[in-house]
Amino acid sequence: MSKPFPGDGVEVPYRADGIAGLSASTIFGTLRTIRQELEQGQDADQKLPQDDELRHVRALESLDDPCPPWSGRAGQTRFWDTFEASLMPRIVGAVHTALERVSNTAGVPITVIGAKGSLEERTEEFREHILSGRPVVSISATGCLRRLFVTGDANAASLSVLVWLPDHPLHAAAVTAESALMSDCTNAHRLLPSGTWIQMLGEPLVPDPEPGYIVLPRSVTGLEKRLRREYQNLIVVDDTSSAIIQAVLSRAVPAAIHFSEGVLNSAIVLVSAGHGMAVRLYSNGGNVTEPWGASKILYKAATGNTPFVEGLVIARDEITARRLGRIVEDETDRLRQPDLTDDLNDLDDRDDRDDEDL
């Protein structure tokens, strides 16, 4: 890993940024390896895990069977079910192995969680480690990893990484099949395809966004009609974290609405703030959150001091964030008034007909 972080993990221990960088680059490399295996097959010289070796032997034994088990459609479904179940253990295992090889400033091995357990169970485990002063890394998948590898769509899934070491601020990384970004409350870095981390200076790579686009989570399509009056091109996705990385942070989409499923899935909050985005929790009085504020929100939620606020607007600039936040606030308040919903929908329809007449 080519890096601008202090320490080498051998003679000089890694800080939280080094641990986050090593974790994110390992995940990025593992996703690339898995994709190559699907496209080209596994390297003949690569040693298989014991379970895979056993499955391979049984598959060879079944070749003489005129009707081998799990053939046809059933076999295809079984392959993808087994493949999906192996992904998080493999990704988390790769990070665990990488971190075992290096030292860190806590002076004790780091626990890596994410291979098993529900989101609630993993959140509680992450919290227990922080409160007891034990270093911990959380790796959590957002979106659908199975869809990512079936379709090749980088917007299908991403990995949310949170790193906590004693006496360090929370560090966050977000990884897709095409890129990896990380940040704490003061520094932000991006992983280049060459494997080199570069430090970002808080400015987006693309200076001029295209104002007609917006990223919208599929779960809030009730806002779609209102938003189409302001944005001609709605990018409706299942995983907004990956779409924000691909479209907002890396390209020219100006803003996104983001709903997460909890703090472990929300590294994108700190990553976006650290990379110069205006992050606005629109249930928080319209305040734009600076990187230190985003870090504080995640830390308080991770330790259980405050509930995690899931409604976010992430934009390329503060004016766009506030404007979009007001639209979402107004529309959300309206949808929460069931007695008025039908009347307001009728009013919307009349407004649309008036617009057509004009």
Side-chain angles (χ1 to χ4, degrees):
M1 177 180 66
S2 177
K3 55 183 179 52
F5 316 126
D8 56 10
V10 182
E11 295 181 358
V12 180
Y14 276 144
R15 306 182 316 186
D17 51 4
I19 296 298
L22 180 56
S23 300
S25 60
T26 300
I27 293 170
F28 183 73
T30 303
L31 294 178
R32 177 179 294 178
T33 299
I34 294 171
R35 184 178 70 237
Q36 290 174 343
E37 290 174 357
L38 289 173
E39 295 172 352
Q40 306 168 15
Q42 283 190 325
D43 186 339
D45 296 328
Q46 179 180 342
K47 182 174 175 56
L48 295 173
Q50 185 174 359
D51 290 345
D52 286 348
E53 287 182 351
L54 181 59
R55 281 194 294 270
H56 185 61
V57 170
R58 287 176 175 172
L60 292 174
E61 291 174 345
S62 70
L63 292 179
D64 295 331
D65 190 334
C67 184
W70 306 111
S71 60
R73 183 183 179 90
Q76 295 164 0
T77 300
R78 180 176 173 81
F79 167 81
W80 283 104
D81 287 346
T82 303
F83 172 80
E84 182 178 26
S86 72
L87 288 173
M88 285 307 295
R90 179 172 178 178
I91 292 169
V92 173
V95 174
H96 175 76
T97 299
L99 295 183
E100 276 188 327
R101 298 169 180 161
V102 300
S103 61
N104 65 81
T105 56
V108 295
I110 297 175
T111 299
V112 184
I113 64 175
K116 59 184 180 179
S118 67
L119 181 61
E120 291 75 18
E121 290 169 340
R122 289 183 281 115
T123 302
E124 182 60 31
E125 184 178 359
F126 190 75
R127 177 176 298 127
E128 289 175 357
H129 275 77
I130 293 179
L131 295 178
S132 62
R134 293 173 289 162
V136 60
V137 174
S138 167
I139 303 171
S140 187
T142 65
C144 180
L145 287 172
R146 180 169 178 160
R147 184 180 298 116
L148 170 66
F149 289 106
V150 169
T151 67
D153 179 9
N155 285 336
S158 62
L159 282 301
S160 173
V161 182
L162 294 180
V163 175
W164 185 82
L165 266 66
D167 302 320
H168 288 275
L170 199 66
H171 223 98
V175 185
T176 75
E178 294 185 359
S179 61
L181 301 94
M182 55 179 285
S183 179
D184 64 359
C185 54
T186 57
N187 294 298
H189 296 85
R190 180 185 296 262
L191 183 66
L192 298 178
S194 63
T196 300
W197 285 99
I198 60 170
Q199 186 168 5
M200 307 302 292
L201 300 178
E203 293 295 331
L205 293 182
V206 181
D208 295 318
E210 212 286 14
Y213 285 79
I214 185 176
V215 170
L216 178 68
R218 200 175 304 280
S219 58
V220 294
T221 50
L223 305 175
E224 186 172 348
K225 188 173 183 178
R226 174 68 178 87
L227 289 170
R228 283 197 184 279
R229 297 181 179 182
E230 307 289 337
Y231 300 92
Q232 294 75 46
N233 298 283
L234 300 187
I235 305 170
V236 182
V237 296
D238 293 302
D239 178 37
T240 48
S241 290
S242 57
I244 289 167
I245 294 171
Q246 301 298 124
V248 182
L249 275 71
S250 301
R251 293 180 175 85
V253 173
I257 297 172
H258 173 68
F259 278 81
S260 74
E261 299 172 353
V263 63
L264 296 189
N265 286 354
S266 300
I268 192 64
V269 178
L270 182 51
V271 168
S272 295
H275 281 78
M277 300 295 117
V279 178
R280 180 183 188 270
L281 293 104
Y282 54 76
S283 60
N284 193 33
N287 296 322
V288 172
T289 304
E290 299 295 332
W292 64 267
S295 178
K296 187 176 180 180
I297 289 168
L298 291 178
Y299 181 81
K300 285 189 172 183
T303 55
N305 290 332
T306 60
F308 183 68
V309 182
E310 297 188 347
L312 295 172
V313 168
I314 296 175
R316 297 285 296 278
D317 60 79
E318 185 171 341
I319 293 175
T320 300
R322 292 185 181 278
R323 177 169 172 265
L324 178 56
R326 282 195 297 269
I327 294 173
V328 177
E329 274 185 319
D330 292 345
E331 192 69 4
T332 302
D333 289 343
R334 191 187 79 169
L335 293 175
R336 287 173 179 167
Q337 301 178 38
D339 296 337
L340 298 178
T341 299
D342 292 337
D343 293 338
L344 289 169
N345 285 337
D346 291 340
L347 180 60
D348 281 343
D349 292 337
R350 287 197 297 274
D351 289 343
D352 291 342
R353 287 194 295 271
D354 291 341
D355 291 340
E356 292 173 1
D357 291 340
L358 292 173

